[in-house]
Amino acid sequence: MSMEKTLPGPAQVPGPADGRAAVAGYFGGIRDVVVLEMKQRLRSRGWYIMLGVWFVVIAMVTALTWAGWNASMEVRNSMPVPDGMPQPDGPGSAIFEVVLAFVLLFALLVAPALSANAINGDRAGGTLAILQVTLLTPGQILWGKFCAAWLAAIAFLAASAPFLIFAVLLGGLTPGHVLVSLLMLAVEVAVICGIGVGISALAGRPLFSIVVTYLTVAALVVGSPIAFGLGVQLTRGTVMANQPRYSAAEYGPGTYPGSPEYVCEGPLVEQDVLRTERVAWLLALNPYVVVADAIPYPERQGLQYYYSGGMIENISQGARAALAGPEGTYTCANGQVQPQYLEQATPLWPLGLALQLGLTGLLLWLGWRALRTPAGRLALGTRIA
């Protein structure tokens, strides 16, 4: 009986088709988790109630803003207006900015509720272990939960989109305002949902993760300007500036002088200033700053900005002034006349979005590590199944 020696064949190298199949399989697992989550949410009556309340509140805000603008215009038209006084924008600009501010506020309140118990809620109900014993990887579970929470939050943005479009139809705005605003709102909602899902994977109790997520959102919205105000006091410095000389303005009857014009003259003298550009990154963490600074506003001159710029535009101008520092805002800094309306070549919102995405990515990575099985250590009282 002859013995034949079988030699091993060449190693099988995965080809492009195998790689595409692996990618399709990975995204297929994410899709399955998203479909499962969305079916559970659509069966819930509370989700529809929240969506209806959202639509009614935004409609009331739009109606009240429109009524308030019409009332202010009636008062303005009943008074003599000096020649040369800039006219305010139409009702569309006011409605757009107020609705945008309320939509972002409500999105920051709703997104944590939709995501902060996405994983530990299943763990408390004993259903997370069922997913973990399947062929689904921790990354597929995590991304599926995140996408489901994000899609549920996007439905609230879709419900508010008609009111933003209505503001464009009233005039004073372009479709680009709505497109950029909705895009940035969707990105900010994704950031908050990512933070909530990451914290829910790390925390053992749903209530604890919801509270921590809301505290994180509060730190971004309220804590960032407080930290900026405290930190800017520690950044005192100096700038070289000379004295402004304002031109004589004729205040005749029925005329409006406009913004005061001045020239810088005299020797440069060292002036004490606050170096706001050193701590401007704290303001960049604020979701309102990111959304407001990304919107393409029309170019304004002189007092037209003060009489036409709205709340959201003022937020953008304040953030850009902080980023510009005293060299770009202090009167006659380095002998230069400073513009009243800042046109920054480098806006602040990319830095803020990068910092927010970095925080979200860190929490999601930690949540992915917490979902890996077998788990090396579990907190006391953690339910498995």
Side-chain angles (χ1 to χ4, degrees):
M1 182 176 180
S2 62
M3 301 292 294
E4 296 183 358
K5 184 177 180 181
T6 303
L7 297 177
Q12 297 295 327
V13 179
D18 297 330
R20 288 193 295 267
V23 172
Y26 188 84
F27 284 101
I30 296 176
R31 181 199 57 203
D32 294 339
V33 177
V34 172
V35 171
L36 178 63
E37 286 289 312
M38 294 305 298
K39 286 183 177 180
Q40 293 176 351
R41 294 180 187 273
L42 293 177
R43 293 194 190 102
S44 176
R45 185 179 302 176
W47 189 77
Y48 294 99
I49 294 176
M50 291 175 59
L51 194 60
V53 171
W54 175 288
F55 186 86
V56 171
V57 170
I58 299 300
M60 292 176 59
V61 169
T62 303
L64 291 175
T65 304
W66 196 8
W69 188 89
N70 290 330
S72 63
M73 287 300 99
E74 290 179 1
V75 174
R76 180 186 177 93
N77 295 333
S78 63
M79 300 173 60
V81 179
D83 296 335
M85 186 173 182
Q87 297 295 324
D89 293 338
S93 179
I95 293 175
F96 174 81
E97 295 215 343
V98 173
V99 170
L100 181 63
F102 269 85
V103 168
L104 181 55
L105 173 62
F106 293 153
L108 295 176
L109 295 176
V110 170
L114 297 174
S115 61
N117 63 342
I119 293 178
N120 54 17
D122 287 354
R123 182 182 288 118
T127 58
L128 180 62
I130 299 176
L131 291 177
Q132 290 178 311
V133 299
T134 63
L135 296 178
L136 294 173
T137 64
Q140 290 174 319
I141 297 175
L142 190 72
W143 286 113
K145 297 282 187 179
F146 163 74
C147 292
W150 188 29
L151 289 176
I154 289 296
F156 290 86
L157 296 184
S160 60
F163 301 102
L164 296 176
I165 297 175
F166 174 72
V168 173
L169 296 178
L170 291 178
L173 298 170
T174 62
H177 287 77
V178 176
L179 293 178
V180 174
S181 301
L182 290 177
L183 177 62
M184 296 308 298
L185 286 174
V187 172
E188 286 300 313
V189 169
V191 168
I192 301 303
C193 288
I195 291 175
V197 171
I199 293 177
S200 70
L202 293 172
R205 304 294 181 182
L207 180 60
F208 179 77
S209 62
I210 292 175
V211 172
V212 172
T213 303
Y214 274 111
L215 289 177
T216 304
V217 173
L220 295 176
V221 177
V222 182
S224 56
I226 294 177
F228 172 80
L230 296 176
V232 76
Q233 301 299 324
L234 304 177
T235 60
R236 297 184 178 272
T238 60
V239 67
M240 301 301 295
N242 47 16
Q243 296 298 320
R245 180 173 63 83
Y246 294 92
S247 60
E250 296 292 338
Y251 291 83
T255 62
Y256 189 74
S259 59
E261 297 181 357
Y262 66 92
V263 295
C264 300
E265 60 182 14
L268 294 176
V269 180
E270 192 176 54
Q271 303 286 343
D272 294 331
V273 293
L274 296 176
R275 311 296 303 191
T276 56
E277 73 277 9
R278 298 176 183 174
V279 290
W281 63 272
L282 293 172
L283 286 179
L285 288 168
N286 195 301
Y288 277 92
V289 173
V290 173
V291 174
D293 199 44
I295 298 175
Y297 301 101
E299 185 177 356
R300 307 185 189 278
Q301 300 293 336
L303 289 181
Q304 182 187 9
Y305 164 67
Y306 293 100
Y307 285 88
S308 301
M311 173 181 57
I312 300 296
E313 190 172 352
N314 285 328
I315 293 176
S316 174
Q317 283 293 301
R320 295 188 178 194
L323 181 61
E327 276 80 7
T329 57
Y330 193 82
T331 304
C332 288
N334 299 319
Q336 300 293 326
V337 177
Q338 305 301 335
Q340 292 179 334
Y341 189 83
L342 294 178
E343 289 290 343
Q344 290 285 102
T346 305
L348 191 59
W349 70 267
L351 172 62
L353 188 58
L355 293 175
Q356 292 177 359
L357 292 177
L359 174 62
T360 304
L362 175 62
L363 290 175
L364 287 175
W365 177 71
L366 293 175
W368 171 79
R369 292 190 60 187
L371 282 177
R372 290 186 302 176
T373 53
R377 179 182 301 176
L378 290 175
L380 294 177
T382 301
R383 181 175 178 179
I384 302 300

